[in-house]
Amino acid sequence: MNKWLKIIVLAAVAVATTSCFKKVTMDCRYHVRPYYQAESGGVAVQGEGTIAYAFAADTSQWTIATYDDALNGVLTSKTSGEKRSDAMDRAEQSDSTVVLQLTATPATIVVVDTVNKLFGWRMTDVVENLPDLYVSVTFRPWSVKKRYVEGAWRMNNEAYVAPEPEEPEEPEQPTDPTDPEGGNEGNGNEGQYTPADPIE
């Protein structure tokens, strides 16, 4: 009887001990603080009008095709072209940050500067029992690329237009050395002073 009593006591202790452990959760508040830099080397100021989406998605398989897709929370498959708009959360900027609720990992975060029509995205791993995560992003419209990397962010300036290449200037036609109007051109003295006539 003592043996069975001991087993019951040990089982009760095991149950009680298990109930003391913290419950594992996948629920993280993702705080994004947007900045805006108007010119190269300029001061980055607090951005305005930013919205963000969070997807349960891997950026090796999904991307943002256009500014309109970013604005409307639409991902595009890199392999099939399939579209999806099943964001786990959408949030608008309040004061200086945008706060998304992440409940799955990995998560793809999409941020949109609605004032200057810029957007970016990144993937993040959501850690269990991590209540808050703080990140920042800087929009740089002066960047001379339609797509560029900003830390872990993949940024896009859809409005950027590359300058037209300059047309090469046509070379000047050489003057005929037998032409009396040609002066000293073509006689091997280009770029030199012509000796003055001797004084008699």
Side-chain angles (χ1 to χ4, degrees), residues 12-35:
V13 169
V15 171
T17 304
T18 303
S19 64
C20 292
F21 287 116
K22 187 176 180 181
K23 182 181 178 183
V24 175
T25 61
M26 186 71 70
D27 194 7
C28 176
R29 289 180 298 274
Y30 193 83
H31 304 254
V32 182
R33 177 164 289 182
Y35 292 94

Side-chain angles (χ1 to χ4, degrees), residues 65-133:
T66 65
Y67 172 80
D68 285 338
D69 280 358
L71 187 63
N72 295 301
V74 177
L75 294 185
T76 300
S77 169
K78 291 182 176 180
T79 54
S80 68
E82 172 195 353
K83 301 279 187 178
R84 57 180 278 198
S85 55
D86 56 343
M88 71 175 89
D89 196 16
R90 176 191 184 278
E92 297 183 10
Q93 184 173 346
S94 176
D95 296 326
S96 61
T97 59
V98 187
V99 183
L100 293 162
Q101 203 74 28
L102 308 185
T103 56
T105 192
T108 291
I109 312 299
V110 182
V111 291
V112 186
D113 176 352
T114 62
V115 176
N116 303 287
K117 296 189 175 180
L118 308 168
F119 67 95
W121 68 95
R122 66 174 292 177
M123 188 174 74
T124 188
D125 290 318
V126 184
V127 180
E128 294 175 348
N129 296 330
L130 180 65
D132 293 278
L133 188 58

Side-chain angles (χ1 to χ4, degrees), residues 183-194:
N184 293 314
E185 294 181 8
N187 63 5
N189 291 327
E190 291 89 351
Q192 301 177 25
Y193 288 108
T194 301

